[in-house]
Structure formats: structure tokens, C-alpha cells
Amino acid sequence: MEEYSDKVMDHFAHPRNTGVIENPSGEATVGNPTCGDLMTFYIDVDDNDVIRDVKFKTFGCGAAIATSSMITEIAVGKTVDEAYKITRKDVAYDLDGLPKIKMHCSNLASDALRAAIDDYRAKKAKKEENA
Ligand code: FES
């Protein structure tokens, strides 16, 4: 597949869940050293470890925007453990495919989501330590 699917174009043109969550349960910024693109993910998690909301900000290419948008839709309603397992292949599949040379862009989205979950887990562990 070397062209963008309609779904990729739709998520690129109308990205879902862009923005910032104030006082998020977890947040993280990751960058792709090859292209220099940057992605920040924010998650809001309830007491049962279920992701209530995800938002992202990106300074990245169209595929990075589309994959971020897609992964936010996949992640909402999942537990953090389930969301941690979302792979770039899952994202590409839900987008009806991505050109091969753009697959690395979907790494950025899943890496950023995982890093935000890591941040959430670290904060939660600290809270429990101090409880
Ligand atoms: Fe950098 Fe796509 S080219 S994330």
C-alpha cells in the first residue's frame, strides 16, 4: 500500500482529540530522532484504571497526526493495560493501511501513548507509597 487511505486522509484533515488535558493522570512527549517530529499525549484515567480521555498535540507529519488521532479513539474506554498493548499494526489496520515508508510514524503515536501510561503508573505508585 503506497497511497493514503480515505480514512487516513479523514483523520489527517479532521483529527480527533487534539489539545491538552489540564492536570492529566499521565502525560509524555516523545520525538522521532530521524525526522525530528514531536508528539505529546495526555491521558485521564479513572479509579479502575480505565482511560476516560486522551488528547494529543503534535508537531509532526500527516501520518503522525492521523495515527495519533486514530489511537486516541482506540484507547478511550480501555484499561491502561489494554491500551499499552496497542501496536502500530493495530493503528495501521484501523486506518485501512499506511504506506510502508510511513509505518515509523505510527510508532510515534503508540510510543507516546505508552510513555503517558508509564507516567501515570509512576505517579500512581508514588501516591500509593505516600498513602
Ligand atoms: Fe516524522 Fe512521520 S515523518 S513522524
Side-chain angles (χ1 to χ4, degrees):
M1 158 143 217
E2 295 312 325
E3 288 192 353
Y4 291 123
S5 68
D6 290 347
K7 210 156 172 197
V8 173
M9 291 311 289
D10 181 43
H11 275 269
F12 168 58
H14 311 284
R16 316 332 184 232
N17 301 311
T18 56
V20 175
I21 295 176
E22 299 296 336
N23 302 316
S25 312
E27 76 173 273
T29 301
V30 302
N32 181 325
T34 316
C35 64
D37 288 353
L38 280 177
M39 184 94 69
T40 303
F41 263 68
Y42 307 85
I43 55 172
D44 178 38
V45 182
D46 73 12
D47 292 342
N48 298 315
D49 276 351
V50 173
I51 297 178
R52 269 192 297 229
D53 196 12
V54 186
K55 294 250 185 297
F56 76 94
K57 264 192 334 197
T58 187
F59 183 76
C61 72
I65 294 170
T67 50
S68 299
S69 169
M70 187 73 245
I71 208 169
T72 63
E73 289 203 326
I74 302 174
V76 169
K78 286 195 166 34
T79 64
V80 288
D81 289 349
E82 288 165 348
Y84 209 84
K85 291 186 201 137
I86 300 171
T87 65
R88 67 177 190 166
K89 280 202 183 122
D90 297 328
V91 179
Y93 179 81
D94 277 19
L95 282 170
D96 299 332
L98 268 180
K100 257 199 202 89
I101 55 158
K102 286 289 173 183
M103 279 304 282
H104 77 272
C105 311
S106 55
N107 273 349
L108 205 54
S110 46
D111 286 356
L113 177 62
R114 280 194 203 117
I117 293 172
D118 285 338
D119 182 50
Y120 162 70
R121 285 175 173 157
K123 279 184 183 148
K124 190 177 170 191
K126 218 179 194 176
K127 239 193 240 162
E128 282 168 2
E129 237 171 57
N130 296 331

